[in-house]
Amino acid sequence: MNQLPIIEPFRIKSVEPIAVTDRAEREACLEHAGNNLFRLASNNVMIDLLTDSGTGAMSSAQWAAVMNGDESYAGSPSFHRFEAAVRKATGFEHVVPTHQGRAAEHLLFGTLVGPGQFVPNNTHFDTTRANIEAAGGVALDLPCAESADTREAYPFKGNMDLEGLERALLQHAGHVPLVMLTITNNAAGGQPASLQNLRAVKALCQRAQVPFYLDACRFAENAFLVRDREPKLAGRSVRSVAREIFDLADGCTMSAKKDGLANIGGFLAVRSAELAQELRQRLVVTEGFPTYGGLSGRDLEAVAQGLEEVLDEDYLTYRLASMRYIVQRLATAGIPVVQPTGGHAVFLDAARFLEHVPRTQYPGQALALELYLEGGIRSCEIGSVMLGRTDPDTGAELPAEHELVRLAIPRRTYTQSHMDYLIEIICRVWERRFDVPGVEITSAPKVLRHFQAGFRRLPARLAV
Ligand code: F0G
């Protein structure tokens, strides 16, 4: 007998229409947006894969919980439900609510990090890097060597480079206020860090007497992938694996817009009562009173319920099966896609996809624009537009390490047929890839240029 297909373990009670557009309409929209997908009106997008952050669908139980939100300024029972849910998932005693992940980072690094200090991570997300730098510190990226090769199918590309960490802890002894690990490693393709690697990082931190924190945005996806890929963990519940991972750490920052299954929210959770006290004092100045921290009571309720649902094994099985399905179909068609499957996004290797487009003509941006024109799909370039740097001596532009296009899949939002449509659009662009032109930048702000820059599509090259 055939294996049964894995179905979406939910049915749909409320729908949001998608405006179906044709290529001519999309050309006009893109022109108007300066060929920058961030500048498109989202109602002109058919399938929006710009981010998995805050874009998931809430469950009926979450919407019901929203109605129980208590909006009292102080002592809201909604906070106590939120605190209990965070404690249950993470085991951390002290819970500080924040409006989203970067606010938690701002509080933590503002408290622990100062000028001349170093914070190692597998790879810092842009906001963790920015908050460390804003506190005067240096953000060190120490991904494992396997993560550099987009073709390598190593199962734990989210691991930290242990030798690199050991060296950094020695070299900067006394100047490392904390070590962080991002699970899953978003910047490296949503790849998981193994339990073994997490344990080894913990041991190095203990030896150096440095606290160990997790950037836990996608903790449930990490725990699921670890359980799936570490044979010794077969038969364990994802919840218990997630808890074992949290047990290694001294605290975490969290954007509840990902594995909190909410549209907004976040928190900081720590073991130390003393640190929690200090964090709460800062919280009152910038975010709000310690029992709401920038969130409404109804948001706290939605996150509390979301943290329960995200560890549901049927949900995680469906989510990761759906990701695997996309990657396998694309790989079978010969399309350069980052392997193995990550937790929240599919990454196309645009440098190999559009091998006729030179790095100076931004193949990632060129491919992202083409996916929109072909099928109304909005993705995100993670390549030289976003991460390119200027050489301080020569003023020349240095390309990023990779030219990737990220297709981030919102949680519980799109169906299997949307994913089949996505695959078909990518395959069509692949078939006529040599017609896809490179792009040039026509205007760009000095910082975070990818959000606002204008682009021009260059005249198409003839097919070869
Ligand atoms: N850490 C990681 C690993 C993230 O991916 C993000 C957000 C944050 C921290 C910050 O959280 O947005 O709630 O302030 N990532 C989103 C993305 C924006 O599209 O990958 P936030």
Side-chain angles (χ1 to χ4, degrees), residues 99-289:
H99 79 276
Q100 61 183 82
R102 66 199 71 184
E105 293 156 14
H106 183 68
L107 287 174
L108 184 69
F109 301 139
T111 307
L112 295 183
V113 180
Q117 295 192 313
F118 296 82
V119 182
N121 199 331
N122 44 4
T123 314
H124 288 279
F125 183 66
D126 342 0
T127 58
T128 59
R129 170 175 293 279
N131 276 301
I132 289 165
E133 289 172 357
V138 178
L140 290 179
D141 286 339
L142 300 171
C144 65
E146 293 86 350
S147 75
D149 183 347
T150 61
R151 275 173 271 206
E152 162 80 56
Y154 181 65
F156 299 110
K157 282 174 155 181
N159 281 353
M160 177 95 101
D161 166 10
L162 296 171
E163 280 173 23
L165 177 61
E166 198 169 3
R167 250 191 327 265
L169 287 169
L170 268 178
Q171 193 183 347
H172 306 300
H175 303 283
V176 180
L178 73 152
V179 168
M180 201 163 211
L181 206 88
T182 305
I183 52 172
T184 56
N185 188 350
N186 184 3
Q191 303 289 331
S194 72
L195 196 48
Q196 212 181 356
N197 188 258
L198 281 145
R199 284 200 195 110
V201 170
K202 165 75 177 175
L204 288 172
C205 289
Q206 236 165 0
R207 206 171 69 190
Q209 296 189 323
V210 169
F212 174 35
Y213 282 79
L214 297 169
D215 176 343
C217 300
R218 300 179 179 87
F219 75 95
E221 289 166 4
N222 197 87
F224 185 89
L225 289 169
V226 164
R227 204 262 317 259
D228 220 32
R229 294 176 189 179
E230 276 190 50
K232 274 196 207 138
L233 297 176
R236 288 270 304 273
S237 72
V238 178
R239 181 183 286 280
S240 79
V241 173
R243 186 54 187 274
E244 191 170 338
I245 291 172
F246 282 120
D247 283 348
L248 295 168
D250 297 290
C252 73
T253 57
M254 170 85 187
S255 166
K257 300 171 74 172
K258 287 90 170 169
D259 276 353
L261 296 180
N263 302 121
I264 194 74
F267 58 83
L268 238 170
V270 298
R271 288 194 203 288
S272 156
E274 210 179 303
L275 175 61
Q277 206 43 37
E278 221 177 311
L279 294 168
R280 287 194 188 104
Q281 279 166 22
R282 279 176 186 263
L283 183 82
V284 181
V285 180
T286 56
E287 287 279 292
F289 193 74

Side-chain angles (χ1 to χ4, degrees), residues 58-71 77-78 81 296-306 309:
M58 293 216 295
S59 66
S60 51
Q62 282 178 295
W63 285 109
V66 160
M67 288 308 294
N68 283 323
D70 180 306
E71 305 303 341
S78 297
R81 281 192 280 273
S296 63
R298 53 182 173 268
D299 295 325
L300 293 166
E301 295 280 358
V303 174
Q305 177 63 25
E309 292 177 11

Side-chain angles (χ1 to χ4, degrees), residues 343-354:
H344 69 291
V346 173
F347 289 73
L348 301 175
D349 185 339
R352 285 196 284 133
F353 196 118
L354 299 181

Side-chain angles (χ1 to χ4, degrees), residues 12 19 33 60 64 116 162 179 254 325 349 372 381 391 412 451 463:
I12 297 167
S60 51
L162 296 171
V179 168
M254 170 85 187
Y325 172 76
D349 185 339
Y372 176 72
E381 190 259 15
D391 186 321
R412 307 188 294 200
F451 290 129

